[in-house]
Amino acid sequence: MNTNRLSKTITAALNVQMTKEAHAAQIYLSYAAWADKQGFSGTANFLFKHAHEERNHMMKILEYILKRGAEVVVTAVPAPLKNPTSIHDCFKNVFEQEVENTKAIYKVVKMSKEEEDWATWNFMQWFVQEQVEEETLSMNLLNKIKIAGGEKINGDALYSFDKDMGKDAGEVIPAQDVTTVNP
Ligand code: FEO
């Protein structure tokens, strides 16, 4: 008896989305390292936290595929985007990346609807909601930077923006304390 509860097309789409989440994690990770190198430690910790969240999203999809009796295919992850040129560029790219991810998620939702795979449709609603939150968050940060001058943001405004970002980092381990055993 076939115990696989996902179609071939849905399995393939979920595996693609799983890799996209891993790619998003790599982007946040490389941006975090960039920010830390520039001395923006608050921003770096915020971005490190998001790298971790994206990895959790990847795991969430992986676990769902396995739970439904289908096959997980772990593939190479594309290289992250090149380093941003400024804080404004950083959050502009973060916002655009989130919008692209939303579009990819909508494709899986559409596919699950067409196949009447209501379990996958229901599973994907968590991601739909998550994207609303992530888009709003990155949009708000980008707006803050725009109000402070965008590319022309001055040192004082940049300092207080970065300080605020540090406050939002929550449980994130400061970048300098991260090790391979305590990622
Ligand atoms: Fe997993 Fe930022 O989307």
Side-chain angles (χ1 to χ4, degrees):
M1 188 191 167
N2 183 8
T3 54
N4 182 352
R5 301 292 294 126
L6 296 179
S7 73
K8 270 194 180 143
T9 47
I10 293 283
T11 304
L14 285 170
N15 272 298
V16 166
Q17 189 57 39
M18 182 182 78
T19 306
K20 279 188 189 298
E21 301 294 340
H23 185 219
Q26 293 296 81
I27 293 170
Y28 277 108
L29 196 62
S30 77
Y31 274 25
W34 168 83
D36 195 67
K37 184 86 172 61
Q38 309 301 310
F40 303 134
S41 57
T43 303
N45 279 326
F46 173 87
L47 294 167
F48 274 124
K49 180 184 169 205
H50 271 264
H52 194 66
E53 279 189 15
E54 297 298 352
R55 198 183 143 75
N56 286 345
H57 296 171
M58 178 198 78
M59 288 303 296
K60 203 173 171 72
I61 298 174
L62 182 146
E63 282 164 9
Y64 176 76
I65 297 170
L66 292 177
K67 202 196 276 183
R68 302 299 286 156
E71 192 176 349
V72 166
V73 183
V74 176
T75 63
V77 179
L81 305 172
K82 63 180 184 350
N83 280 343
T85 52
S86 63
I87 281 283
H88 176 258
D89 189 48
C90 173
F91 284 97
K92 182 173 81 64
N93 295 344
V94 162
F95 175 69
E96 284 171 1
Q97 141 69 22
E98 288 298 347
V99 172
E100 285 308 309
N101 200 33
T102 301
K103 287 183 195 163
I105 283 165
Y106 286 1
K107 273 191 196 164
V108 186
V109 173
K110 186 167 182 269
M111 196 182 282
S112 63
K113 183 169 183 265
E114 282 162 2
E115 290 197 17
E116 299 187 3
D117 177 348
W118 303 121
T120 300
W121 184 89
N122 186 53
F123 169 71
M124 291 306 295
Q125 295 312 303
W126 184 90
F127 285 88
V128 170
Q129 186 55 38
E130 179 69 8
Q131 285 308 116
V132 172
E133 283 166 25
E134 298 209 328
E135 283 183 10
T136 303
L137 179 60
S138 53
M139 191 193 300
N140 288 346
L141 292 172
L142 185 56
N143 284 340
K144 264 192 195 179
I145 297 164
K146 279 185 184 162
I147 290 165
E151 285 293 338
K152 295 197 181 91
I153 186 169
N154 68 33
D156 283 351
L158 199 50
Y159 176 78
S160 65
F161 173 83
D162 189 60
K163 206 168 156 195
D164 284 353
M165 294 296 282
K167 283 183 206 148
D168 287 339
E171 75 279 12
V172 186
I173 302 162
Q176 61 272 27
D177 294 345
V178 171
T179 65
T180 48
V181 286
N182 189 20

